[in-house]
Structures are given as structure tokens and as C-alpha cells.
Amino acid sequence: MMPSSFAPGHEFAGRYRLSDLLGVGHTVEAYRAQDLTLQREVVIKVLRSNLAAHEEVRRAFRDNIILAAAFRQPHLARVYDGGQQAGSIFMVGEYLAGGSLEDILRAGHILSVEEAARLGRDVAGALAYLHERGVVHGALSPSKILFDESGHVRVSDVALVGLADSHQYATTRDDVRYLSPEQARGEPVTAASDVYALGLILFEAATGTTPFEGATVEAMLRERLLAPLPLRPELGGLDIVLAQATVPDALLRSSASELVGRLSGVVPDDESFVKYVHPSPSLLGSFTLAEPRQSVGFRPPSPNQIVSSPRTSPTFGQSAAARHSAPPRRSAPGSFDDLAPIGSVRRRPMYLAAAALLVVLVVGVALAWNLGYLSAKHTAPNISGLTLAEASSLVKSDGLTLDVVSHVASSTVTSGHIVSQVPVAGTNVASGAHLKVVVSSGPAAVLVTLPTNLLGVSCASDTAVLATLHVTATCPATSTMPSATVAHGLVAEIKYITTTNPLAVPKGAAVVLVTSSGSTSTSTAPTTTAPAPTTTAPAPTTTAPAPTTTAPAPTTTAPVPTTTAPTTSTTVAPATLQMPNLVGMNQAEVATAMKAAGLYYSTRGTGAGTATSAPTWTRVVSTLPAAGTSVPYKSTIILNVAT
């Protein structure tokens, strides 16, 4: 049973009564509740106490609730209300009773290509709506894709965007399963990160497997940094669409609105995805009763249905004049004389029927032409493994055209050669059709994990170490930064493109080593981060006046040999010492402890600070090396910190 802060029956704002606990996540506790005013079921999400302790998180949650409540999109979960009670901040939203996509995947169900395309189109439409308004979800996963009672999809937790980013660390494989390459490198999330996550989710929904399944968190993240999505034949036309949505380079990735259009190409109808399949009507239920018959057997025609004509044949015994002057004789109603000869019945002209037939024929020919039935048919050739020039020459004779949709890394296909094609080889295509191809950009770069002891040492030493790993390092004279923890002239930071202190870089990459320019304070750097070697002896100028009043003592770290101040023996610094336990300490406590131990330190993590921003961290999470390890005197220790 998951722990919860509130019991069933608890009321928020005197209006929302809790029914039961739905779940506890990293950010909120979710409860099913009853809206006593509007008599409807809702979901209450209460910010967890460890996050509610931070004012910036509380303020962000309130702002997100107000923003999300204004959203109107059919595939976004609605936000109704929010408030604060007894220190607890809560959000009121739409209760979705149809479960989640996570439930479907855990049950072992696999979606068809058409179902996956419809689901993806609905979710991508919701993401496009958010991105147009400057909102990035940043944590899309199957558990965030919910269904209402009718089975229609909703994207949830938009109001939780970014709340726990600075107070939460990805520690399990589930936490990183749908992260984008840029998130794996520690870069901020963007709209492209949402599209990448959706691509992975649709791949899993249509194949039943996840594309990147490393044995550890690090292995899972390393695989996706440069590797494309695996090719799976069961994806059909969805294969190329997902490949474009999961390109490792975020700048080349499809946008959410583009993804909507491409998924519509897989399923040309505009129907939404529905989770539940409704039962088909029975065979007898599909029939309707015919109109009851009014008579049985032969129905005689009415007089109005019979076309008649007056008789004009002459009567015996009449003269010609009489025949011309006398009015025609009217037969008695119903007599056989009312029936005109067969040949005199008026008929519809045959040319009208011929014209109608001609119209039908023209429309049928036009439709057949548009559908390709009357155009020349060709079989799509197998162009995988060929260069673009070779493939173009091969398909040109059949009137086909090549369209390059993307470039992907491949360890099995030579750079510049075709990796895959749509339609696949052997498919019947019409003359003039386009073949969409994916071209290899060559093998994916091999990642090199950087050593953890590069900071706090000389530039020449780091350059030599990195050269053995096939990484080029430079130390420009202009690349310096002030540091109170790294001695002047030693490496204080490593830059790879836009990433600071990366854990790994591609083999053959070039990095910039930023050196320390010393502390920005008025005192010298060594005295701010490490103790002076003569801390056991008081400076003579503090106990006795200097021999002269016109010049101060030459230094404060060595005693002046005078007869007026007692001197003590200088303590010799040890060659090695034991690493102190700094976990849980704040900045002031760390500075004091490291100064007493005679060590320098460098920080990593949230609030570590950069060359342009001061550190804001409040506690040490871990150290490298760990407490109790023997380390050289005045060496640099790495502290993993958090706010």
C-alpha cells in the first residue's frame, strides 16, 4: 500500500471530498474525489510535502494551474480548479476512468499500425497545441496518456510541467526510458524532446518492445545519443514517420505539427483513436422491415397510368366533309376504344439514356485514372544498399522518383548508401510514384567516458590523458573563469559544444579546457580554499608590532624572524590524508572543512554555478572520491551538490 497524506473522506475547500488514493508519484499524490457542488467525479492532485517546502515550486504550481485551466483541446486533460489548504497546494482536474496506455502495454497488448498512427496523431495534436503556446510537457510517458470512459485519449499532467526538475534525479531505468538525447546530455527540454518521447512510445505500442534497453541507466542513455530507431518490418509505413520523429539531432527532428501530418498519411481518415472496440450489431439487427404490401398478385394500372389517344380513323357512311367537320367521337369510359394502338405510346427518347451512360463512363474512367488502375504498373525495385545515383538510375526507366526523408547512422550500411525504402521492394507502384528512402550517414560515433579526475590538474596533464582516449583538448588563453575552489592555472571546467563537464563525448571529439583565474575575492586563492601551511603558528604581526612602522611584514603565511614574537615549529603537511565526510553539508560548512583538510574542491549538479552565475547549492549529495579514501594533500575533490 502506497503511503498517502490524506484519508478517504477528507475535504478540500469544503467542496471536494476524497474517495480513494489513485497513486503517489515524484511530484504529486493523486486522489479520486467527489465535487459536492457540481455532483461529479474529479481528480485531486496534491503537491508532495518535500516539494511544497520550496517557495519557487509552490509558485510555479499555482501559475501552471492557472495556465492549464485555460487550455481547450480535445486531447488534453481538463484542469478545473486549484487552491491551498493548511499548507497543501492542490489541483482539481478531469477524472479519466478509462485507464492509461501504460495499462495496455503492461497487459501485453500491441496496437496495429493504424491504431498506433491514430493514437499518435491525437497525442501529437495535443503537443502541437501546447508548443504553440510555449509550453513543453517534458515528461511524456505511457502513464501520462490516459483514456476517458468512451476510450478517447487525453494527455495529462500539463500543470506539473517542470515542477520537480531541480529537486529530482533520474535514478532508475523507468525514469530515463523516454528521455531524449538532449535530456540524456543534461540539456534543457524543448518541444523536440516531447516529439522524441512520443516516437519511442508509439514504437513500443506497435512492436511490444522498447528500442533502447540497456542493462543500466547509463547504458540506456548512451545508446540513444547517436543511434537511430531500430528498423522493424511490422511498423510498415509508420517506420519512416517514427524515424523522423526520433532523429538524435533535435534540430532535424519532426515538429509535433509535422508529425500530425505525417501520421495522417499513414491513416488518411480523420477518425480519432478509441481504446474500446464496441460490439458489432447482430446480423438480424442490421435488417429493417419492408413497407407492407397493399395487394397480392397483379395490380392493375389506373386509368391515369394508361396513355391514350383519340381515335381519328374515318367512320363508314360519313362524307369527307363530315369527317373533317365533325368532332372526334368520345368513347365511353372504360371501353376498349380508349386503348391506343401499341405503336402510338409515347416513349422517353433514347438519346437521354445514351447521354447518361456516357456521363457514367467518363466519371468511371477519371476515377480509375486517379486511382492508378489505367496507369502503367511497375514493381518497386530493391534499392537498399545502393547509392543515390545508382538507385536514381535504376528507377528512372520506370518513371519513379526518389525522395530522401532522412539520414541515419548505421554500422552495417556504408555512408551515402540507402538504408531502407517505402514502399518496400516488390510492391506494385504506379508510374510517376515517389519512393521515400533513408540514407546512411555512416557508423555512429563511439562514445568515450571521460575520467572523473580531470578537474583541478594542469592543462598539459589533461591534454595528454584525453589524447590517449582519442579526444582532442585545447586550452585557449581566453578560456578562463574565476574559481574559489580550483587553484589558479588549473583546469576548472570542461566544455563540449554547449555541454559543461560532460560525462562522455564521441570518439574524436574536441573539447575546451577552461582554466581557473583564481578567486574573485581580495585575498589570494590558496587562503580561501586551503589552509595556509603555517596555521599552527600565529603571524608575528598579530602579537607584536612590526620592526618598522613604514613596511608591513612580507607575508602572512611565514613568521618574521624577530626577537619580540615567540615562534613555534611549522607543521609539515602530510603527503596524503583521509577524505572527510561532507555529505549533507552546506557551502559554508564545506568551505571550512576543506580548508581545515587542505583540499580544493569542484562542484557538479543543480546550483553548482558557472563562470557567469554564482553557486546556489545548499547541500552535498555525494563526493568523489568517497569519505575515508586516501587523497593527496591539496588535490581537488568533486562534490555532487543539490539545492
Side-chain angles (χ1 to χ4, degrees):
M1 185 67 179
M2 292 178 291
S4 61
S5 303
F6 304 95
H10 181 86
E11 291 186 6
F12 282 97
R15 173 178 176 179
Y16 305 107
R17 180 178 297 161
L18 302 187
S19 301
D20 54 67
L21 176 69
L22 297 178
V24 177
H26 292 302
T27 309
V28 295
E29 298 175 9
Y31 299 86
R32 184 165 60 91
Q34 185 72 19
D35 183 343
L36 302 178
T37 300
L38 298 180
Q39 294 300 308
R40 63 179 176 181
E41 278 194 319
V42 295
V43 61
I44 302 287
K45 296 188 176 181
V46 185
L47 191 65
R48 296 195 63 181
S49 57
N50 62 313
L51 295 177
H54 301 276
E55 174 60 29
E56 74 277 8
V57 178
R58 296 197 301 272
R59 188 182 303 112
F61 192 27
R62 286 192 293 265
D63 294 343
N64 287 357
I65 292 172
I66 295 172
L67 179 66
F71 291 159
R72 295 293 184 273
Q73 209 278 342
H75 300 296
L76 281 179
R78 292 286 306 277
V79 173
Y80 298 138
D81 196 3
Q84 183 170 347
Q85 178 176 303
S88 298
I89 300 180
F90 63 92
M91 178 193 76
V92 183
E94 177 182 14
Y95 176 65
L96 300 168
S100 68
L101 180 60
E102 180 73 20
D103 300 332
I104 296 177
L105 299 181
R106 285 188 176 178
H109 298 302
I110 298 177
L111 303 184
S112 68
V113 171
E114 291 76 15
E115 289 174 330
R118 288 192 180 95
L119 174 67
R121 183 172 58 188
D122 293 345
V123 176
L127 294 178
Y129 179 90
L130 293 176
H131 297 166
E132 289 171 1
R133 288 154 180 77
V135 178
V136 177
H137 194 289
L140 191 67
S141 68
S143 63
K144 308 291 185 184
I145 299 176
L146 306 180
F147 302 94
D148 61 15
E149 290 182 346
S150 62
H152 291 89
V153 68
R154 302 280 199 283
V155 176
S156 69
D157 289 353
V158 175
L160 307 184
V161 169
L163 291 183
D165 287 353
S166 59
H167 304 279
Q168 174 184 327
Y169 301 93
T171 56
T172 68
R173 296 164 75 243
D174 287 338
D175 292 334
V176 304
R177 192 177 303 280
Y178 304 102
L179 293 187
S180 63
E182 56 270 22
Q183 288 174 283
R185 291 191 294 267
E187 299 171 7
V189 295
T190 63
S193 305
D194 285 346
V195 174
Y196 187 93
L198 178 56
L200 297 189
I201 292 169
L202 295 180
F203 182 96
E204 182 177 356
T207 65
T209 60
T210 52
F212 304 112
E213 271 296 332
T216 63
V217 171
E218 292 77 10
M220 289 183 70
L221 295 177
R222 190 179 299 115
E223 286 179 9
R224 73 192 64 195
L225 288 179
L226 294 171
L229 206 64
L231 297 176
R232 295 291 291 269
E234 62 264 38
L235 291 175
L238 200 60
D239 191 11
I240 294 296
V241 178
L242 297 187
Q244 294 169 325
T246 56
V247 176
D249 188 343
L251 297 178
L252 302 178
R253 204 174 296 155
S254 301
S255 67
S257 57
E258 290 172 340
L259 183 57
V260 171
R262 287 167 181 165
L263 289 171
S264 295
V266 179
V267 277
D269 59 68
D270 57 357
E271 296 180 6
S272 294
F273 175 83
V274 179
K275 176 184 174 185
Y276 302 113
V277 179
H278 299 286
S280 302
S282 64
L283 182 61
L284 293 178
S286 63
F287 289 95
T288 57
L289 293 176
E291 181 181 358
R293 294 176 60 90
Q294 302 298 324
S295 63
V296 179
F298 172 72
R299 293 183 66 181
S302 66
N304 293 332
Q305 294 173 317
I306 301 174
V307 179
S308 62
S309 172
R311 299 178 60 95
T312 58
S313 56
T315 307
F316 293 105
Q318 286 184 324
S319 65
R323 289 196 300 268
H324 287 286
S325 61
R329 181 177 60 86
R330 299 179 65 87
S331 301
S335 67
F336 287 101
D337 287 340
D338 284 340
L339 295 178
I342 296 176
S344 65
V345 178
R346 302 176 65 182
R347 301 179 181 274
R348 184 179 298 275
M350 293 299 295
Y351 71 86
L352 293 179
L357 180 62
L358 181 60
V359 171
V360 172
L361 182 61
V362 170
V363 172
V365 170
L367 182 61
W369 180 268
N370 289 333
L371 294 177
Y373 294 124
L374 300 182
S375 59
K377 289 288 185 179
H378 302 281
T379 300
N382 184 7
I383 55 177
S384 297
L386 302 181
T387 64
L388 286 175
E390 293 169 342
S392 297
S393 177
L394 179 63
V395 303
K396 185 177 182 181
S397 59
D398 292 333
L400 305 178
T401 305
L402 294 184
D403 289 341
V404 178
V405 294
S406 66
H407 290 75
V408 297
S410 175
S411 59
T412 58
V413 179
T414 307
S415 177
H417 291 234
I418 295 173
V419 176
S420 63
Q421 65 181 87
V422 173
V424 297
T427 304
N428 289 331
V429 293
S431 180
H434 289 246
L435 299 183
K436 298 180 180 180
V437 297
V438 177
V439 180
S440 169
S441 57
V446 178
L447 289 181
V448 175
T449 301
L450 300 185
T452 58
N453 58 349
L454 296 176
L455 302 182
V457 298
S458 67
C459 206
S461 175
D462 280 355
T463 302
V465 171
L466 292 174
T468 63
L469 301 175
H470 303 283
V471 175
T472 303
T474 57
C475 301
T478 56
S479 294
T480 61
M481 61 178 289
S483 175
T485 60
V486 178
H488 181 275
L490 302 183
V491 176
E493 193 173 78
I494 302 171
K495 284 281 189 181
Y496 173 63
I497 309 178
T498 59
T499 305
T500 301
N501 296 331
L503 299 177
V505 297
K507 187 176 182 180
V511 299
V512 175
L513 304 180
V514 182
T515 55
S516 170
S517 59
S519 174
T520 56
S521 62
T522 56
S523 59
T524 58
T527 60
T528 60
T529 58
T534 57
T535 55
T536 57
T541 58
T542 61
T543 57
T548 64
T549 59
T550 59
T555 63
T556 60
T557 58
V560 179
T562 62
T563 59
T564 58
T567 60
T568 59
S569 59
T570 301
T571 303
V572 179
T576 60
L577 50 88
Q578 281 195 338
M579 173 66 192
N581 185 5
L582 306 177
V583 175
M585 291 187 178
N586 58 31
Q587 291 192 43
E589 293 169 338
V590 167
T592 302
M594 296 299 274
K595 184 175 182 180
L599 297 171
Y600 297 108
Y601 62 91
S602 175
T603 55
R604 292 181 180 178
T606 307
T610 64
T612 58
S613 62
T616 59
W617 59 273
T618 58
R619 60 188 177 88
V620 177
V621 177
S622 61
T623 62
L624 189 66
T629 306
S630 295
V631 295
Y633 180 67
K634 284 195 174 182
S635 59
T636 300
I637 305 303
I638 296 176
L639 308 181
N640 294 316
V641 297
T643 55

